[in-house]
Amino acid sequence: MTSATNVASRPGGTAIRSNRETISLAQRLVVTFDTHLGRTALQALAVVAFFLLWELGVRMGWISEFLVGKPSGIWARFETQLLDGSLFVDSGYTLYEALIGFVVGTIVGSVLGLAMWYSIFVARMVEPFIVALNSVPKIALAPVILLWFGTGLLSKVVLVVSMTALVALIAAYQAAKDSDKDLQSLMLSMGGSKHQIFYSVVVPSSLPAIIATFRINIGFALVGAVVGEFISSKRGLGHLVYNASSLYDLNSVWVGLFVLMFMGFVLYHAIDALERYLLPWKQDTGHVRIQA
């Protein structure tokens, strides 16, 4: 008998072979779906299954429609608001506030954070104040900001800036501090000025961390815009969600929330595209994995 036959004929040999075949099948399935199209198909199936189970649960009486709404009702509200144009207006208003605040807050914060690299003395002086300000929940500042800047567009933009600027500043300063010290010393020994070291070493090495912060700040920007609309606004997705919740219209609430999710998804991938454009070298090393 061959060794393979002996293994199969031993007690448990069939089970071992069966386990190996199962593992092999699982590996083949992973390889089949481990593509962009395969992952997208699985994600779409998961979303469809989630909504089907939700709808089924409501129709069968397992879930309270009053408390969670139902997908068919959400779709009906979505169609109504889409056809009368109100959803476009509210979405555009929130997106405009979030984008302006995001751009201003992220740029100002990143520039100030990188500039702190120039002086250790100044950085150590202002760092406790930055930590103290960052520890204050920005949502708590919303009433003060609305009192100072009114109830219009400006107050929402300022609120978004307050939520994004400090995050960008702290991330940029930390990235600047962590930039390659050996390379800085080498440039200094070769006669490079502090400005040359800053632009040639500090800024390029800090860009990955700064762009990674963009992804975090997108979420903060949408939160800031919606919170401002919660407190005082006549338009926007925050206004839509607040009014719908006060009327116990859960389907309209979900419409606003799903549109916000879609906005965040699109903006996240826009930043991902920006990163691929600005840092093409990072993509070559970012997807290396160890296969077990």
Side-chain angles (χ1 to χ4, degrees):
M1 277 191 179
T2 63
S3 58
T5 306
N6 290 333
V7 170
S9 62
R10 292 173 190 167
T14 305
I16 294 172
R17 186 171 57 188
S18 177
N19 289 337
R20 288 176 178 173
E21 290 173 355
T22 303
I23 293 171
S24 178
L25 177 61
Q27 289 175 340
R28 286 199 298 269
L29 286 173
V30 169
V31 170
T32 301
F33 286 101
D34 194 14
T35 62
H36 179 70
L37 183 60
R39 290 190 298 270
T40 302
L42 287 177
Q43 290 163 352
L45 285 173
V47 171
V48 170
F50 172 76
F51 283 110
L52 286 176
L53 289 173
W54 183 357
E55 182 74 21
L56 179 64
V58 172
R59 291 180 182 270
M60 298 297 292
W62 302 333
I63 306 173
S64 171
E65 181 181 353
F66 177 75
L67 293 177
V68 299
K70 65 177 181 179
S72 58
I74 295 169
W75 181 256
R77 289 286 192 279
F78 175 75
E79 283 186 327
T80 301
Q81 294 176 17
L82 200 65
L83 291 174
D84 65 18
S86 62
L87 190 60
F88 286 111
V89 174
D90 289 333
S91 301
Y93 194 75
T94 300
L95 183 62
Y96 186 65
E97 294 166 349
L99 283 179
I100 292 178
F102 167 78
V103 171
V104 174
T106 303
I107 290 177
V108 170
S110 298
V111 170
L112 290 177
L114 289 173
M116 286 170 63
W117 173 85
Y118 270 95
S119 174
I120 297 176
F121 174 76
V122 172
R124 288 175 177 172
M125 283 289 295
V126 302
E127 194 168 3
F129 300 103
I130 293 171
V131 173
L133 286 173
N134 191 53
S135 65
V136 176
K138 308 306 179 295
I139 294 175
L141 297 175
V144 178
I145 291 173
L146 289 170
L147 182 64
W148 288 350
F149 297 97
T151 59
L153 175 68
L154 181 60
S155 61
K156 280 77 170 179
V157 172
V158 172
L159 183 58
V160 174
V161 171
S162 73
M163 297 189 73
T164 56
L166 281 176
V167 176
L169 187 152
I170 292 170
Y173 175 56
Q174 188 61 47
K177 284 200 303 182
D178 293 339
S179 58
D180 194 330
K181 302 295 188 299
D182 293 334
L183 192 55
Q184 293 180 40
S185 300
L186 178 62
M187 285 195 66
L188 192 63
S189 66
M190 295 176 66
S193 66
K194 198 165 188 178
H195 296 295
Q196 290 174 325
I197 294 172
F198 178 75
Y199 288 111
S200 300
V201 178
V202 176
V203 173
S205 65
S206 302
L207 274 179
I210 291 172
I211 294 177
T213 308
F214 288 2
R215 294 188 174 91
I216 301 171
N217 272 348
I218 278 294
F220 284 146
L222 290 172
V223 169
V226 170
V227 168
E229 292 165 358
F230 273 177
I231 297 174
S232 177
S233 182
K234 295 181 179 179
R235 291 174 291 181
L237 292 174
H239 177 258
L240 166 65
V241 170
Y242 180 80
N243 280 352
S245 62
S246 64
L247 297 172
Y248 299 99
D249 183 4
L250 265 295
N251 292 325
S252 293
V253 170
W254 282 117
V255 169
L257 293 178
F258 285 137
V259 172
L260 282 169
M261 290 181 196
F262 179 74
M263 276 187 189
F265 180 82
V266 172
L267 293 173
Y268 181 93
H269 283 279
I271 291 172
D272 198 49
L274 177 65
E275 182 182 37
R276 286 197 300 271
Y277 175 75
L278 293 177
L279 308 172
W281 53 268
K282 190 172 181 291
Q283 306 307 313
D284 297 334
T285 58
H287 298 286
V288 176
R289 293 180 297 179
I290 298 174
Q291 297 291 343

